[in-house]
Structure formats: structure tokens, C-alpha cells
Amino acid sequence: VMTESKKLRSQERLAPEVIITSHVNADFDALASMVAAKMLYPEAEIIAPSYREKTGVNYFLDSLAYIFNFRQPKECDFSKVKLLVVTDTRQRGRIPQVAEALNNPGLRIHCYDHHPNSDDDLPAEHSLVKEWGSTTTILTHLFKEKGLFPSMDEATMLGLGIYEDTGSFTYDSTTVHDFTAAAWLREHLMDLSIIKDVMSTTLTSEQVQLLNKMIESAVTHEVHGISIVTTAVILDEYVDDFAVLTHQIFDMEKEAKVIFALAQMGDRVQVVARSRIPEKINVSVICASFGGGGHSYAAAASVK
């Protein structure tokens, strides 16, 4: 009876030939770029990676799976996958949720990304990579070229990806392409009130306490004449937006050229790094040695 039950459950699983996914611990650029890729590959199923929930927008995140029909990996049989579409990363190690599909004979891979090359990059037959402010920006410009037009929900979701990854157009990594992409999405009814609510940076009491701990533990080191700040904390439970808090401390430490912030949360240590001199200290390379990655100026890792 148990064997027959397993067979029945197996038969009920989806067996897609085309899937779209992004990196684990997905941010809004990862989620938005998957939604964007669905417009290019309408026959594909979106396979949800894990994501870090953000305080105050849990309902919004939970709604994504319903609005855009995200699928959980356990819902799918990946043995039939012929085409894998990956957004906001190209690293094999950052998409464990679809690892089963990577061994399929003759698997074709398409990648859309704005991160630098790494030794762990997938062997893609097609890659569209530009070091713009967000991966969603790249896909938005592709829509303009192809004459594709998003719905209001899609335009808002794509806008959220751009706003988050450019720090609302304040990060140095922001390009003119990010501005023009957002302007085009606004023409297609991108809802700025939703983006404002989701992007709200009001700190919770837990985040304020953590920020104080990070400030108290901050130490400045001089290495070859370069000022580097490190801060490390141990927490009893997960706290949202550790990267945002790291950015705030970095803004306070005007003389510092680099910061490494570490937080033990449960069974993992979250590492967030920022560099004002990426040409000298590339934090992506450093975080990659811990199984993470990112950009030369902003990177992260999660160490078990």
C-alpha cells in the first residue's frame, strides 16, 4: 500500500520541460527577474528558491507564489527538464533547489545576470550578462527591444527588483539603464505606493538592538594602510535585513574603506561585506571563498 501511495504522489508531481529559478536567500531582484524571465519563457514553471522574509511585507511575499504561480521544488519531478533558465546568478552552488535537473543529459542552460564571472559558473549555451544595477534592469530593456509589455502587477514587481538592488537609485552601482528601465515600467503602471511600502526602512526594536550591538563590537584595523572595520555578533534568532544594518554602519564609518559584518544566527554565520575600493579589495572574491559571492563592492556569504 505504501509503495502504491508513493507512486500516486509521484504521478501527481509536475514534470516540466522548462524551469526558471534564482539563487537561494533570494532578494527582490532575484524574485523579480524570475517573474521577468517567465515573460520570455511562458511555457516555463518558476521554481521558488528560499528567500529571507522582510519585516512588514510577509503578506506581500506570500502573495508572490499565488500571483505569479511559483512552484516549490518538492512539487516537481525534474527528470524531464530540458531547459533551465537561471536569473541573478550563474553559480551552480547557489541553486541547490534544482540540483537534480543539472544532471539531465543534454540539459540546455540560459542565464541572465549582473554579477561578475566566477569559477562556479554554469556552462550556459546563452548568457546575457551586464554589470548594471540589477538583473531585472537587463530583462526590462530586453522587453523593450522585443516589444513585450508587462501587466501592472508585473511592472510593479520588476520595479521592486530595480529599486531594491540600486538602493532606490542611490548606490554607486546604479547606471543610467536602471533609471530608463524604471521610467519605462512607470509608463506601464508600476505602482510606486506598493514599492514605497515594501521598501520601507523603518527599523524594528530588534533591529535597533542589533544595530547597537554591531556598533559596540565594531573594531577598526589598519591593513597595508587601508582602514577595515569588522563587527561580529551572536544572536538567538534570525533578524531581518542584516545587510541593511551593515550598510548603515558603513555610512557612519566615513573613514573606513571596507567592512566585514558577521552574525551568528542559529546554525549559520551570515557574512556581509562592503568595499569603497573594489579595485583594491574585491569583497566578492573574499566571500566566494566562504561559498558566497556578489559584486566587487558588495557581497555576502552564509557559512554553516
Side-chain angles (χ1 to χ4, degrees), residues 144-255:
K144 293 172 65 177
E145 295 172 12
K146 292 180 174 292
L148 297 174
F149 304 104
S151 66
M152 182 175 69
D153 284 340
E154 289 167 337
T156 302
M157 185 64 220
L158 269 57
L160 185 57
I162 296 172
Y163 268 78
E164 184 190 50
D165 244 32
T166 62
S168 298
F169 308 103
T170 63
Y171 293 165
D172 288 341
S173 56
T174 305
T175 68
V176 65
H177 309 289
D178 302 297
F179 285 101
T180 55
W184 186 80
L185 292 171
R186 181 60 169 164
E187 289 178 5
H188 292 85
L189 305 180
M190 172 178 68
D191 191 329
L192 292 176
S193 63
I194 290 178
I195 291 175
K196 179 182 177 182
D197 289 343
V198 174
M199 293 296 295
S200 173
T201 56
T202 302
L203 298 182
T204 65
S205 59
E206 291 82 3
Q207 289 172 326
V208 171
Q209 291 175 14
L210 173 54
L211 184 61
N212 287 332
K213 288 182 179 179
M214 294 171 70
I215 292 172
E216 290 173 0
S217 70
V219 178
T220 300
H221 310 266
E222 291 292 328
V223 182
H224 299 297
I226 297 173
S227 178
I228 299 173
V229 170
T230 62
T231 179
V233 293
I234 299 176
L235 307 174
D236 295 329
E237 57 186 21
Y238 178 77
V239 175
D240 295 316
D241 289 333
F242 183 58
V244 172
L245 301 181
T246 302
H247 197 81
Q248 290 193 352
I249 292 180
F250 202 29
D251 283 344
M252 297 176 193
E253 299 284 351
K254 300 297 184 182
E255 300 302 316

Side-chain angles (χ1 to χ4, degrees), residues 5-288:
S5 177
K6 288 180 180 179
K7 286 182 179 179
L8 181 60
R9 288 197 300 272
S10 177
Q11 291 170 357
E12 292 173 347
R13 294 170 73 196
L14 295 169
E17 293 188 358
V18 184
I19 60 174
I20 298 167
T21 199
S22 189
H23 58 81
V24 293
N25 296 333
D27 55 13
F28 281 127
D29 188 33
L31 298 172
S33 58
M34 288 192 297
V35 170
K38 175 73 171 178
M39 295 175 64
L40 297 174
Y41 304 86
E43 74 280 18
E45 296 287 353
I46 299 178
I47 309 302
S50 63
Y51 59 80
R52 292 295 188 187
E53 293 187 349
K54 291 177 175 288
T55 302
V57 295
N58 292 350
Y59 175 78
F60 178 85
L61 288 168
D62 290 341
S63 297
L64 289 179
Y66 177 77
I67 296 172
F68 300 113
N69 204 22
F70 285 16
R71 303 290 188 179
Q72 294 301 317
K74 63 184 179 183
E75 295 180 60
C76 300
D77 173 6
F78 294 125
S79 64
K80 305 296 184 184
V81 174
K82 296 179 180 179
L83 173 61
L84 168 64
V85 181
V86 183
T87 69
D88 204 35
T89 187
R90 285 168 286 159
Q91 294 178 261
R92 176 187 294 265
R94 300 195 73 194
I95 53 170
Q97 68 276 12
V98 297
E100 180 185 337
L102 295 176
N103 297 320
N104 289 358
L107 178 70
R108 299 160 55 215
I109 301 174
H110 292 183
C111 294
Y112 299 88
D113 193 17
H114 72 137
H115 295 93
N117 299 337
S118 80
D119 294 337
D120 194 35
D121 285 353
L122 294 160
E125 70 169 21
H126 171 71
S127 285
L128 181 58
V129 180
K130 297 177 184 291
E131 292 193 18
W132 292 355
S134 74
T135 299
T136 306
T137 295
I138 298 169
L139 287 159
T140 300
H141 280 276
L142 192 57
F143 298 157
K144 293 172 65 177
E145 295 172 12
K146 292 180 174 292
L148 297 174
F149 304 104
S151 66
M152 182 175 69
D153 284 340
E154 289 167 337
T156 302
M157 185 64 220
L158 269 57
L160 185 57
I162 296 172
Y163 268 78
E164 184 190 50
D165 244 32
T166 62
S168 298
F169 308 103
T170 63
Y171 293 165
D172 288 341
S173 56
T174 305
T175 68
V176 65
H177 309 289
D178 302 297
F179 285 101
T180 55
W184 186 80
L185 292 171
R186 181 60 169 164
E187 289 178 5
H188 292 85
L189 305 180
M190 172 178 68
D191 191 329
L192 292 176
S193 63
I194 290 178
I195 291 175
K196 179 182 177 182
D197 289 343
V198 174
M199 293 296 295
S200 173
T201 56
T202 302
L203 298 182
T204 65
S205 59
E206 291 82 3
Q207 289 172 326
V208 171
Q209 291 175 14
L210 173 54
L211 184 61
N212 287 332
K213 288 182 179 179
M214 294 171 70
I215 292 172
E216 290 173 0
S217 70
V219 178
T220 300
H221 310 266
E222 291 292 328
V223 182
H224 299 297
I226 297 173
S227 178
I228 299 173
V229 170
T230 62
T231 179
V233 293
I234 299 176
L235 307 174
D236 295 329
E237 57 186 21
Y238 178 77
V239 175
D240 295 316
D241 289 333
F242 183 58
V244 172
L245 301 181
T246 302
H247 197 81
Q248 290 193 352
I249 292 180
F250 202 29
D251 283 344
M252 297 176 193
E253 299 284 351
K254 300 297 184 182
E255 300 302 316
K257 300 301 182 184
V258 183
I259 186 170
F260 292 98
L262 297 86
Q264 181 178 319
M265 304 182 190
D267 66 344
R268 291 189 174 274
V269 174
Q270 305 297 328
V271 181
V272 176
R274 297 288 184 268
S275 175
R276 291 192 175 104
I277 49 170
E279 69 282 358
K280 291 185 178 180
I281 300 183
N282 183 330
V283 291
S284 176
V285 173
I286 296 170
C287 287

